[in-house]
């Protein structure tokens, strides 16, 4: 016999809003889906499928196959203990009567159950499911108020708030309108199409017709489909002229700025192509949400299979939300805006070149870096000194050291230029162009551009040694100075992005420069204003780096135990720590070798006494003592060499091979003998063995 499925219907819920800002719209869509799923589950309303769509003017929830009635439920309540619920004659007390009355149950249904040796009263309440139409009004209203926007606003005489004024609410179950209110608004079965291309009120009879009806009224409600249309349109328009450049961030924003996208090809005066392409792209992407086109060309000097030179074309693509019939007018308007933007950019660029980087460097004294740390000129001076220190420490060749020093002098100069003031995100890039224009060494120009790298997690590291030196000096100075000024990150607050800077420092050192962070931080702290050079500052900064090191190493796949063991000894040497983690993790996966080392170390550590030291009196060595001593002294030079050469796999294996000597010593020598001289000598032997291990890692932090 077939079991009849509960009767279902489709739910359509749309919040119609004045144009919402693009950035928070994606997060709101994700929130709405999560809120809806949770609310329907808590309301005991089953459904087949749930989807959420968004446009600049609407958030839409589509639930197919929604149950018309809640599932019945059985709720269990725990009441007072038996001693409180019943008197001596077994009659219900006021406490039990109040419990039953409050839960709406009959006293006759009360049960007694044992709980941890005490009997308590329990009541089971059967709750009949309500029709979905009775549950949905408050549920949907909760979805509207439950969305967490960065900022909300109020409008009219109502006290309700939303990201922008709500203008209509569409709510239907099947073909029936779900009654609900939000401020002065009442729900209906009406929606609205495109603001300019379809202004009439549109009735929706069923959810299945929703997307098609809106498409007929120039609204693509499915954000994924709009995205596909935009990408297709951009590529189609760009194809005759090159390859479209479609940054993900700009694309995501444009998807949320239109309801009926239409790609238009526009152009600007090719004369503007003399301006660095990064400036042109920034003006198109960040300022106007346009999409640049890249073209390939081959110069007369390039022949055969040599790679072609990539440059921008003077065409670009605009995504319009207007009437396709008005495309020429819309394109002309965007070209006019672009012309003005590029004219400004070209003017700033030309004027900046007249001053030059050395001229802009002099103006850094007028730019404040941080109140306690002085101006950008002060910071530049500290960076120069740190780069000089790093060059000495790393024995950098003279030519690269000169490039590093020159790059340090000019790295921040473009911050006072007109172009960077207008196009802030291009700091460093603009400076590298100015450096090239004034004849600086190419390595200097590249270091100026790359000293901000890595700018975020996963970003490219600086490629040249001068760039690495300046990047490291800049970041360490910022971290040390800001912490000294009392603005270390707290919780989720990190206004100076010190965590990101610390990860950048560690990645550079770990991958490229074998430095001890403690030395660099000490040098940076010594250059700060005297009032900020407090006791404990260096250690505070090193602790900050240590927590970031742990995170990076764990992200590399090393276990938390291995990372903790290694950082206990080399927390300030990131490159060395990474090598040790790799060797130790591989070693611990080899059960026999790891067991030999861990057992030997544990037996020795349990009896060792650091106060005894490791000086051995050879005249007191018995045969078993002599065998152990000989094994240690024979292995010691090889172990020290492996450690110095960072050959950590060989180092660990050599230590593991001492297992037999350790066992023989414990089996044949009474270590804790009553003879005090002999005891101290044997403890010194154990200390000698432990001294071979502990410079590498704290093995006590590893599971045996």
């Amino acid at each position: 016999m077939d079991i009849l499925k509960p009767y279902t219907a489709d739910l359509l819920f749309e919040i119609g809003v004045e144009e919402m800002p693009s950035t928070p719209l994606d997060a709101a869509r994700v929130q709405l889906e999560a809120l809806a799923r949770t609310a329907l589950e808590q309301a005991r309303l089953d459904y087949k499928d749930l989807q959420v769509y968004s446009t600049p003017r609407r958030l839409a929830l589509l639930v197919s196959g929604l149950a018309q009635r809640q599932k019945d439920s059985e709720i269990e309540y725990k009441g007072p203990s038996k001693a409180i619920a019943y008197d001596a004659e077994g009659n219900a007390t006021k406490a039990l009567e109040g419990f039953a009355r409050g839960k709406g149950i009959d006293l006759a249904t009360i049960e007694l159950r044992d709980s941890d040796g005490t009997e308590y009263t329990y009541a089971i309440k059967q709750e009949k499911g309500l029709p979905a139409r009775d549950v949905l009004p408050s549920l949907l209203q909760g979805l509207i108020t439950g969305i967490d926007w960065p900022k909300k606003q109020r409008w009219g005489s109502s006290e309700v708030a939303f990201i922008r004024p709500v203008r209509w609410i569409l709510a239907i179950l099947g073909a029936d309108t779900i009654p609900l209110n939000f401020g002065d608004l009442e729900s209906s079965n009406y929606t609205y199409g495109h603001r300019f291309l379809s202004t009439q009120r549109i009735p929706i009879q069923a959810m299945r017709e929703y997307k098609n009806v809106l498409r007929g009224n120039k609204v693509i409600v499915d954000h994924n489909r709009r995205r596909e249309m935009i990408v297709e349109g951009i590529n189609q328009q760009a194809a005759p002229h090159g390859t479209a450049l479609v940054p993900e961030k700009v694309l995501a924003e444009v998807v949320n700025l239109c309801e009926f996208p239409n790609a238009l090809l526009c152009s600007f005066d090719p004369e503007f192509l003399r301006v660095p392409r990064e400036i042109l792209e920034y003006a198109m992407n960040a300022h106007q949400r346009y999409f640049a086109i890249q073209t390939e060309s081959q110069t007369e000097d390039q022949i055969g299979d040599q790679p072609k030179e990539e440059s921008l074309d003077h065409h670009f693509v605009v995504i319009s939300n207007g009437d396709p019939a008005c495309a020429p007018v819309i394109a002309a308007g965007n070209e006019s805006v672009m012309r003005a933007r590029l004219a400004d950019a070209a003017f700033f660029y030309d004027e900046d070149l007249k001053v030059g980087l050395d001229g802009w460097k002099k103006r850094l004294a007028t730019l404040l870096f941080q109140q306690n740390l002085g101006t950008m000129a002060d910071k530049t001076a500290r960076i120069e000194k740190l780069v000089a220190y790093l060059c000495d420490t790393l024995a950098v060749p003279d030519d690269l050291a000169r490039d590093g020093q020159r790059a340090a002098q000019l790295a921040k100069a473009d911050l006072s230029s007109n172009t960077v003031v207008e196009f802030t995100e291009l700091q460093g890039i603009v400076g590298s162009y100015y450096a090239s224009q004034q004849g600086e060494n190419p390595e200097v120009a590249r270091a100026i551009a790359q000293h901000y790298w890595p700018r975020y997690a996963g970003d490219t590291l600086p490629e040249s040694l001068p760039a690495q030196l300046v990047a490291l000096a800049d970041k360490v100075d910022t971290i040390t100075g800001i912490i000294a000024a009392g603005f270390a990150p707290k919780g989720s607050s990190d206004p100076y992005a010190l965590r990101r800077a610390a990860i950048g420092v560690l990645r550079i050192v770990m991958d490229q420069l074998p430095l001890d962070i403690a030395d660099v931080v000490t040098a940076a702290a010594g250059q700060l204003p005297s009032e900020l050079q407090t006791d404990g500052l260096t250690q505070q900064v090193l602790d900050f780096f240590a927590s970031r090191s742990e995170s990076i190493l764990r992200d590399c796949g090393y276990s938390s135990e291995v990372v903790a063991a290694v950082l206990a000894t080399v927390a300030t040497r990131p490159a060395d720590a990474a090598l040790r983690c790799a060797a130790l993790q591989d070693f611990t996966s080899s059960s026999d070798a790891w067991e030999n080392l861990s057992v030997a170390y544990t037996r020795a550590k349990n009896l060792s006494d650091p106060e005894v030291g490791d000086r051995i009196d050879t005249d007191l060595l018995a045969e078993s003592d002599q065998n152990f001593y000989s094994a240690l002294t024979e292995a010691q030079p090889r172990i020290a060499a492996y450690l110095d050469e960072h050959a950590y796999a060989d180092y660990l294996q050599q230590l593991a091979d001492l297992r037999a000597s350790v066992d023989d010593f414990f089996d044949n020598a009474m270590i804790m003998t009553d003879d005090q001289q002999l005891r101290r000598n044997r403890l010194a032997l154990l200390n000698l063995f432990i001294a071979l291990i502990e410079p590498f890692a704290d093995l006590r932090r590893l599971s045996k």
Side-chain angles (χ1 to χ4, degrees):
M1 179 179 175
D2 292 337
I3 299 176
L4 293 177
K5 295 182 179 179
Y7 178 58
T8 63
D10 295 333
L11 169 67
L12 174 58
F13 177 55
E14 182 189 68
I15 310 169
V17 192
E18 289 189 8
E19 274 77 0
M20 293 177 278
S22 172
T23 303
L25 190 52
D26 286 330
R29 188 175 61 249
V30 173
Q31 285 186 65
L32 180 57
E33 180 175 346
L35 289 169
R37 292 188 185 279
T38 301
L40 291 173
E41 180 182 354
Q42 293 176 347
R44 308 194 308 279
L45 287 171
D46 291 337
Y47 57 90
K48 181 180 179 181
D49 189 35
L50 184 151
Q51 294 177 311
V52 174
Y53 299 121
S54 65
T55 79
R57 299 183 69 209
R58 69 200 75 227
L59 280 164
L61 169 67
L62 287 72
V63 183
S64 60
L66 182 69
Q68 289 279 47
R69 177 176 288 275
Q70 291 178 307
K71 291 187 293 187
D72 296 341
S73 69
E74 184 177 271
I75 306 174
E76 181 179 278
Y77 299 104
K78 182 179 179 181
S81 66
K82 179 181 178 182
I84 297 174
Y86 297 99
D87 60 20
E89 288 75 31
N91 298 317
T93 63
K94 296 291 187 183
L96 182 59
E97 290 175 353
F99 167 67
R101 186 168 54 251
K103 302 302 180 187
I105 56 176
D106 192 289
L107 282 174
T109 64
I110 298 293
E111 299 177 7
L112 286 173
R113 298 181 195 172
D114 182 79
S115 178
D116 297 328
T118 302
E119 284 192 295
Y120 285 89
T121 56
Y122 284 84
I124 309 298
K125 183 178 180 181
Q126 302 293 334
E127 188 172 288
K128 192 73 172 175
L130 297 173
R133 63 177 178 271
D134 295 340
V135 177
L136 287 174
S138 60
L139 186 152
L140 297 179
Q141 195 166 42
L143 297 183
I144 302 176
T145 57
I147 299 174
D148 183 22
W149 299 100
K151 292 182 180 180
K152 296 182 181 181
Q153 68 178 73
R154 292 185 173 87
W155 61 95
S157 59
S158 174
E159 289 299 313
V160 297
F162 208 68
I163 183 70
R164 291 291 185 271
V166 177
R167 295 309 187 197
W168 75 88
I169 297 174
L170 164 65
I172 57 173
L173 181 62
D176 299 329
T177 300
I178 302 169
L180 66 106
N181 296 86
F182 184 67
D184 299 330
L185 278 176
E186 293 184 0
S187 59
S188 70
N189 68 331
Y190 289 98
T191 186
Y192 289 83
H194 193 283
R195 179 181 288 279
F196 307 114
L197 306 180
S198 172
T199 57
Q200 76 272 20
R201 195 167 64 157
I202 308 164
I204 301 293
Q205 305 300 328
M207 187 188 81
R208 63 179 177 274
E209 67 180 38
Y210 174 69
K211 289 197 286 185
N212 287 336
V213 168
L214 280 181
R215 186 181 182 90
N217 285 272
K218 308 303 182 184
V219 174
I220 308 300
V221 72
D222 185 342
H223 50 278
N224 293 316
R225 178 57 190 142
R226 285 203 311 280
R227 182 189 183 94
E228 293 171 359
M229 292 173 63
I230 290 170
V231 173
E232 291 169 3
I234 292 172
N235 291 333
Q236 183 179 7
Q237 294 289 353
H241 306 282
T243 303
L245 302 177
V246 187
E248 177 57 36
K249 183 178 179 181
V250 182
L251 175 61
E253 189 170 1
V254 170
V255 169
N256 290 335
L257 289 175
C258 60
E259 291 195 315
F260 195 68
N262 182 32
L264 307 177
L265 183 67
C266 302
S267 64
F268 56 83
D269 190 334
E271 192 273 337
F272 288 122
L273 291 174
R274 65 181 177 77
V275 177
R277 63 174 294 171
E278 290 87 352
I279 297 178
L280 301 179
E281 288 184 63
Y282 188 87
M284 283 187 264
N285 295 159
H287 283 177
Q288 300 303 133
R289 283 75 178 177
Y290 299 159
F291 297 92
I293 298 174
Q294 181 173 276
T295 186
E296 292 182 347
S297 60
Q298 197 167 48
T299 64
E300 294 179 358
D301 298 332
Q302 294 173 304
I303 59 174
D305 295 331
Q306 286 183 319
K308 294 181 179 180
E309 208 173 279
E310 295 179 341
S311 59
L312 288 187
D313 188 75
H314 69 286
H315 292 88
F316 61 97
V317 180
V318 173
I319 300 300
S320 167
N321 191 41
D323 189 345
C326 300
V329 176
I330 297 172
N334 282 279
E335 288 176 345
S336 177
V337 171
M338 193 72 237
R339 188 182 309 114
R341 283 284 184 190
L342 296 185
D344 287 345
F347 174 77
F348 293 144
Y349 181 67
D350 292 339
E351 291 300 305
D352 288 347
L353 287 177
K354 294 176 183 178
V355 177
L357 279 183
D358 287 300
W360 291 118
K361 180 178 182 293
K362 295 176 182 178
R363 304 186 188 187
L364 290 178
T366 64
L367 296 181
L368 182 68
F369 169 57
Q370 202 276 335
Q371 186 173 3
N372 304 97
L373 298 168
T375 65
M376 289 305 303
D378 297 324
K379 178 173 178 59
T380 296
R382 294 195 298 269
I383 293 174
E384 290 181 50
K385 292 177 183 177
L386 262 185
V387 168
Y389 165 80
L390 292 171
C391 288
D392 290 341
T393 302
L394 295 169
V396 176
D398 290 345
D399 56 338
L400 293 178
R402 284 193 297 272
D403 290 339
Q405 285 294 126
R406 182 58 174 163
Q409 294 171 11
L410 301 176
K412 302 298 181 182
D414 66 352
L415 292 178
S416 58
S417 69
N418 294 311
T419 304
V420 171
V421 171
E422 180 70 14
F423 304 99
T424 309
E425 292 185 12
L426 298 182
Q427 52 189 287
I429 296 173
V430 168
S432 70
Y433 276 102
Y434 294 164
S436 297
Q437 290 286 346
Q438 69 181 36
E440 298 289 345
N441 188 312
E443 284 294 334
V444 173
R446 183 160 63 154
I448 292 172
Q450 295 182 4
H451 87 279
Y452 287 103
W453 297 6
R455 295 154 294 186
Y456 49 84
D459 190 22
T460 307
L461 295 178
E463 297 168 346
S464 66
L465 181 56
Q468 294 159 14
L469 297 174
V470 180
L472 190 66
D474 179 28
K475 290 174 173 59
V476 172
D477 173 73
T478 297
I479 294 167
T480 307
I482 295 300
I483 290 178
F487 297 100
K490 295 180 181 178
S492 61
S493 175
D494 187 8
Y496 292 93
L498 298 191
R499 294 188 181 99
R500 184 172 61 197
I503 290 174
V505 168
L506 292 168
R507 286 186 59 203
I508 292 171
V509 174
M510 199 174 288
D511 292 6
Q512 300 173 323
L513 301 176
L515 286 165
D516 190 322
I517 293 292
D519 296 336
V520 183
V521 170
T522 301
Q527 295 176 174
L528 296 176
S530 57
E531 62 271 16
L532 297 181
Q533 298 181 31
T534 58
D535 293 339
L537 170 61
T538 298
Q539 189 57 51
Q540 185 183 358
V541 176
L542 292 178
D543 290 343
F544 179 70
F545 273 112
S547 62
R548 307 280 83 73
S549 294
E550 181 179 359
S551 175
I552 290 176
L553 291 170
R554 290 181 64 178
D555 288 344
C556 291
Y558 304 124
S559 72
S560 57
E561 289 184 340
V562 165
V563 172
V566 168
L567 291 184
T569 58
V570 288
T572 63
R573 301 204 300 275
D576 196 24
L579 294 174
R580 294 186 185 209
C581 282
L584 186 56
Q585 181 132 322
D586 287 344
F587 186 75
T588 54
S589 64
S590 174
S591 58
D592 292 341
W594 167 234
E595 181 182 1
N596 287 339
L597 178 56
S598 62
V599 170
Y601 175 75
T602 301
R603 294 191 75 178
K605 189 67 177 177
N606 287 342
L607 283 178
S608 66
D609 183 354
E611 294 183 2
V612 172
D614 59 5
R615 294 187 60 183
I616 309 300
D617 186 344
T618 55
D619 294 335
L620 295 177
L621 294 175
E623 182 179 353
S624 58
D625 304 346
Q626 182 64 54
N627 291 338
F628 187 38
Y629 178 67
S630 297
L632 292 177
T633 53
E634 181 181 341
Q636 191 173 31
R638 291 194 299 273
I639 289 173
Y642 289 145
L643 200 60
D644 290 342
E645 295 166 4
H646 307 298
Y648 295 130
D650 295 331
Y651 163 83
L652 290 168
Q653 186 59 55
Q654 186 70 52
L655 289 172
D657 291 344
L658 292 173
R659 163 76 185 274
S661 299
V662 175
D663 289 347
D664 180 69
F665 178 61
F666 273 96
D667 293 342
N668 296 292
M670 176 64 72
I671 297 173
M672 304 305 290
T673 177
D674 292 337
D675 186 328
Q676 294 297 318
Q677 284 187 316
L678 190 56
R679 177 193 294 186
R680 290 181 64 86
N681 212 45
R682 288 173 174 169
L683 288 173
L685 283 170
L686 293 182
N687 290 342
L688 189 63
F689 171 64
I690 290 169
L692 298 178
I693 299 174
E694 292 193 335
F696 176 76
D698 184 357
L699 299 187
R700 292 171 297 179
R701 297 175 183 262
L702 298 173
S703 299
K704 302 297 186 290

